[in-house]
Amino acid sequence: AANWAVKTRAYAGVAEMLDGLDRRSVRMAVLSNKPHVFTVQCVDEFLRGWRFDVVLGSGGGFPNKPDPAAALHIAKVLKLDPGQCAYVGDTGTDMQTATAAGMFAAGALWGYRTREELVEAGAKVLLGSPSELLAL
């Protein structure tokens, strides 16, 4: 708890991606298996320049990913059919969650998992950089 923000920052290009999504009026959410309080704290600290309609972490009343319940809840809050949602993540668990929820699974290669893991877990597209999301 004392060192949660040490050496922590958004990946290169994420700010520009979020700006681009914001300009397009894309509604955004954060879903994490990290504890809910910590997830909110991280979003407030590192992503405070952007609006997220929903921020959910572990312990927020839903099972952890890859169970799709929290992702489906987010779609409901956003008043979107899950098929209208792109789920961007950098782990196999994220791709499994997206697939189970019926969302478009977009694998972020700028994260810390491999291309192979993302594809095997169901990624429909692989994004080499955050800016590639804007082309979707």
Side-chain angles (χ1 to χ4, degrees), residues 54 56 60 62 68-80 82 101 103:
V54 183
L56 277 180
F62 298 96
L72 292 169
H73 170 75
I74 289 170
K76 185 176 180 179
V77 169
L78 297 177
K79 297 184 172 125
L80 295 170
M103 297 176 173

Side-chain angles (χ1 to χ4, degrees), residues 49-126:
W50 300 277
R51 175 173 152 59
F52 294 91
D53 294 287
V54 183
V55 177
L56 277 180
S58 179
F62 298 96
N64 282 351
K65 302 179 292 182
D67 187 292
L72 292 169
H73 170 75
I74 289 170
K76 185 176 180 179
V77 169
L78 297 177
K79 297 184 172 125
L80 295 170
D81 181 270
Q84 295 175 289
C85 299
Y87 188 116
V88 180
D90 66 352
T91 69
T93 300
D94 290 322
M95 299 303 95
Q96 292 168 345
T97 304
T99 300
M103 297 176 173
F104 184 79
L109 293 173
W110 63 84
Y112 59 95
R113 298 296 174 93
T114 66
R115 169 183 303 271
E116 293 75 25
E117 176 182 333
L118 297 172
V119 169
E120 288 173 15
K124 300 294 183 213
V125 68
L126 295 174

Side-chain angles (χ1 to χ4, degrees), residues 3 6-8 11 16-17 30 42 46 53 58 66 77 82-83 125 130 132:
N3 297 309
V6 174
K7 297 185 181 181
T8 301
Y11 286 106
E16 294 80 7
M17 175 191 70
V30 173
C42 284
F46 299 108
D53 294 287
S58 179
V77 169
V125 68
E132 291 181 24

Side-chain angles (χ1 to χ4, degrees), residues 34-55:
K34 292 174 179 63
H36 180 72
V37 172
F38 180 67
T39 300
V40 171
Q41 186 178 14
C42 284
V43 170
D44 287 347
E45 177 68 23
F46 299 108
L47 303 173
R48 67 176 156 255
W50 300 277
R51 175 173 152 59
F52 294 91
D53 294 287
V54 183
V55 177

